[in-house]
Amino acid sequence: MPDRRSFRTLLNQERDDLALVIGNGINIHGAGNRNSWERLLVQIAHHCAVDVPSVPKGTALTEFYDVLEMKRSNPTAADDDQAATLNLQAEFCRLMERWEPLRHHHTIMNWAVRHDVPVLTTNFEEVLSDAAGCDFIKPPELPFTDFYPWSCRFANRLFDDPCNGFGIWHINGMRRYRRSIRLGLSHYMGSVQRARTWLHRGEANLFNAKNRPDWDGARTWVHIMFNKPLLIFGLGLT
């Protein structure tokens, strides 16, 4: 029979060995369409002289973004000057600057802090870290690139092993580093290739190193992905 345990039951029973994976559903919940990525992309489409009321049915948001990127790169009329100069990642970040946490953001983050549970989020804005009242941490001894700030997290303290305590990790990029934002297919494929170089070298088996403390991703969110049970919510993957 399928496991029909409630969300609350799962949290309570599995909290000692768990990581949360949170999608944009947490922002839409209680806010309607106001804080949705689709709404932001439609706003950006209007800036690119693409007059659509919504993302066309059957079109993934990554596909829609790629169309806008092509429109920006290849304007077809003089009145498309704004599209030619618009940085879509930067504009996406600007449009979500004023998003604020709601009551349920505080409730979930307070639970995660209390039980020292790591949080992975596909979201870009800092609503969850605002709700948790934690600081941005960039380990000074680790290599850094604003394209892939994968060792950076929002937390109250720094753990060498990301699995050992609470932290909020933005796995698809974060608003403060616009070049880290993953929106189009080429962006995601870049992330895949970066992770692949850590996991698969020469004749080594894929994923062979994922649970070792000295592999290249051991102090990034990727280590959590491979070494903690994941409770995923607010992520439709439509």
Side-chain angles (χ1 to χ4, degrees), residues 120 149-151 162 169-171 217 219-226:
L120 306 176
W150 291 0
S151 62
W169 306 77
H170 289 259
I171 66 179
R219 296 186 65 186
T220 72
W221 62 262
V222 185
H223 193 73
I224 300 173
M225 185 71 72
F226 286 133

Side-chain angles (χ1 to χ4, degrees), residues 209 211-215 218-219 223:
N211 58 356
R212 284 172 27 198
D214 59 345
W215 75 289
R219 296 186 65 186
H223 193 73

Side-chain angles (χ1 to χ4, degrees), residues 63-121:
E63 294 172 328
F64 188 67
Y65 173 85
D66 285 337
V67 170
L68 298 182
E69 188 66 64
M70 287 188 288
K71 176 70 172 177
R72 182 196 67 82
S73 301
N74 301 287
T76 57
D79 61 356
D80 282 348
D81 287 344
Q82 182 180 11
T85 59
L86 189 66
N87 182 292
L88 301 193
Q89 289 166 294
E91 181 67 2
F92 197 82
C93 293
R94 186 188 69 80
L95 290 171
M96 60 174 59
E97 276 181 355
R98 297 185 180 181
W99 289 13
E100 296 180 349
L102 301 174
R103 181 177 179 182
H104 60 275
H105 292 98
H106 289 281
T107 299
I108 295 172
M109 288 302 97
N110 288 343
W111 183 92
V113 170
R114 191 165 64 251
H115 297 290
D116 251 349
V117 172
V119 176
L120 306 176
T121 181

Side-chain angles (χ1 to χ4, degrees), residues 24-37 39 99 102 104:
N24 193 49
I26 195 173
N27 293 327
I28 299 172
H29 179 75
N33 194 44
R34 187 178 65 198
N35 291 348
S36 76
W37 294 346
R39 178 173 175 269
W99 289 13
L102 301 174
H104 60 275

Side-chain angles (χ1 to χ4, degrees), residues 7-203:
F7 184 72
R8 184 185 298 275
T9 299
L10 283 169
L11 288 175
N12 290 331
Q13 291 181 349
E14 309 296 338
R15 66 191 182 197
D16 292 334
D17 188 22
L18 185 70
L20 304 181
V21 181
I22 303 177
N24 193 49
I26 195 173
N27 293 327
I28 299 172
H29 179 75
N33 194 44
R34 187 178 65 198
N35 291 348
S36 76
W37 294 346
E38 178 173 344
R39 178 173 175 269
L40 295 190
L41 286 174
V42 169
Q43 285 180 267
I44 292 174
H46 294 164
H47 297 169
C48 293
V50 178
D51 188 16
V52 292
S54 61
V55 175
K57 186 176 181 180
T59 303
L61 297 186
T62 51
E63 294 172 328
F64 188 67
Y65 173 85
D66 285 337
V67 170
L68 298 182
E69 188 66 64
M70 287 188 288
K71 176 70 172 177
R72 182 196 67 82
S73 301
N74 301 287
T76 57
D79 61 356
D80 282 348
D81 287 344
Q82 182 180 11
T85 59
L86 189 66
N87 182 292
L88 301 193
Q89 289 166 294
E91 181 67 2
F92 197 82
C93 293
R94 186 188 69 80
L95 290 171
M96 60 174 59
E97 276 181 355
R98 297 185 180 181
W99 289 13
E100 296 180 349
L102 301 174
R103 181 177 179 182
H104 60 275
H105 292 98
H106 289 281
T107 299
I108 295 172
M109 288 302 97
N110 288 343
W111 183 92
V113 170
R114 191 165 64 251
H115 297 290
D116 251 349
V117 172
V119 176
L120 306 176
T121 181
T122 59
N123 299 342
F124 309 110
E125 83 301 319
E126 299 177 8
V127 168
L128 295 180
S129 53
D130 288 346
C134 50
D135 299 321
F136 177 71
I137 298 178
K138 180 172 67 174
E141 72 280 10
L142 297 180
F144 172 79
T145 166
D146 66 326
F147 275 100
Y148 303 106
W150 291 0
S151 62
C152 300
R153 79 295 306 263
F154 292 88
N156 299 315
R157 50 184 170 148
L158 180 65
F159 293 96
D160 285 341
D161 184 343
C163 294
N164 283 349
F166 170 79
I168 301 171
W169 306 77
H170 289 259
I171 66 179
N172 286 341
M174 57 183 68
R175 183 179 61 80
R176 64 178 57 204
Y177 298 124
R178 63 173 178 80
R179 297 199 303 174
S180 72
I181 300 295
R182 309 292 96 185
L183 288 171
L185 180 59
S186 62
H187 293 157
Y188 286 105
M189 291 308 297
S191 293
V192 170
Q193 181 58 29
R194 179 174 177 81
R196 185 178 182 276
T197 62
W198 291 353
L199 295 167
H200 194 185
R201 292 184 175 180
E203 298 300 321

